[in-house]
Amino acid sequence: MDGLAVEFRTLTPLWTGDAQRRSDQVREAGLLGSLRWWYEGIVRGMGGYTCDPSQGGCDFDGNAYEKAIAAGYGEAEAAVRAGLCPVCRFFGATGLKRRFRLEISEMDSHPLFFKASPQVYQAAGNWLWRMFGGEDTGGTKTGRGPDTRFTFGSSVLWGERALTRITPVDSEHDDILKRFAFLLDTATRFGGLGAKTQNGFGQIRILNGVLPEFIAAGKDLVRRDLEKTEASIRENPRKAPPQREDLFTLRSFFSRTYRLTTAETYVQGLRPIGVPWEHHLRHYVPCAFDIRYKSQQRNPFSGLGRDVGLRPFFRKRWGDEVTNLLFGGLGGYRGAERIASRIRVSHLFKVPGDDHWHLKVWGDVPPRLWEQVDRHPKLEEVVQTVDEFIRGEKGMFPGSQSIEEYEFKPEEFLG
Ligand SMILES: [Zn+2]
């Protein structure tokens, strides 16, 4: 087999922008970054060791690699002997190239825009406009107060029959493709792809090209990788510094996809920030910020009304400290992204053949997060709080259904 051609559709646009925040460029790099993050979470979830790329990643021993190749070992085995963790073996490390090529095609770019509740239009508009580049990327802002008008210079990617092609670049073709199938299935089913998934982007549905047999075989291969890594760490303990405990792992991960049966009135009432794509209401509503942060606001002067949003809901239930650790930042629009958010909310989207809006909420909540906090929720209480906010009697979309759920089950990962 030469490669894998996977057809997919975007449910919410894909954001793969680079430092200049232009999403129509550097598509592959953005996707690879998010796939690597998922692969790390999977390997750690299975109990395996991976390096921490933010600390420089694995130390590749080029001599050991060459020696192993000369002695007749395959590329994968040679990488183990050169001291690489399973993630670096697959995605490459300094001195060793990635084991596959990834190309994306059949996508169009659309202008970036958002939607927000009229009550928070101005504050949300200012924040999103700044966050997504403002004038630096060619955006404009005119008018004052509630009459402020925004445009964005950035764009997002959209494809109803988009294509990604994965081509292995070493001799163990099928193994690479199987691992990739497992990885892509997990990432898209329970999370998202590309950058800015915490801002609603990157909801993908695979249409074809990923066979269930491949996914199962990929999972087996990743599991076998771990055994090799364990053996290599035993031989060479200094190569594996202790695993940091606050990194993403499937063990502390949850995901819920909701089918919203009561969202239409909310959607109809939203006001655009930027210039909407004409057909968006058939496909998605870019309002993740509204749901996650705030769709109604307590008047700070009169004290009337109440804040409505996932974040204020958590604050009321669990207090400021817990909320800031889960949603990032120190509160306030300006600080909200200073610490990465642990909980991510998609934009609203439609799935083929269903007229109702859908929404995905997912996150990783490592126990280590709570080290300095006395009163904090367990993972299942975090999920419960999300659930109550989304579909509870006093929630944002009462009576909605949860249609896909991820919870870590150790038995999934044992032989
Ligand atoms: Zn590594």
Side-chain angles (χ1 to χ4, degrees), residues 36 49-53 57-59 83-89 92-93:
R36 183 174 172 123
Y49 171 82
T50 75
C51 66
D52 177 4
C58 286
D59 204 359
L84 295 188
C85 77
V87 180
C88 287
R89 258 177 259 157

Side-chain angles (χ1 to χ4, degrees), residues 308-357:
V308 176
L310 191 55
R311 198 178 209 279
F313 196 82
F314 265 84
R315 190 183 296 127
K316 199 166 169 208
R317 177 79 45 95
W318 298 104
D320 280 337
E321 206 175 355
V322 165
T323 304
N324 289 340
L325 287 168
L326 287 176
F327 290 88
L330 307 163
Y333 285 99
R334 205 170 263 285
E337 290 292 315
R338 224 172 273 159
I339 303 173
S341 181
R342 293 272 170 184
I343 295 188
R344 297 171 180 222
V345 177
S346 75
H347 291 317
L348 297 192
F349 57 89
K350 287 199 172 160
V351 300
D354 190 340
D355 269 343
H356 287 296
W357 291 105

Side-chain angles (χ1 to χ4, degrees), residues 69-86:
I69 294 285
Y73 291 104
E75 281 101 334
E77 183 61 34
V80 175
R81 287 167 184 267
L84 295 188
C85 77

Side-chain angles (χ1 to χ4, degrees), residues 1-5 101 165-169 173-174 177:
M1 188 184 291
D2 284 339
L4 197 63
R101 254 200 338 265
R165 185 177 287 282
I166 298 96
T167 315
V169 294
H173 277 207
D174 279 16
L177 298 180

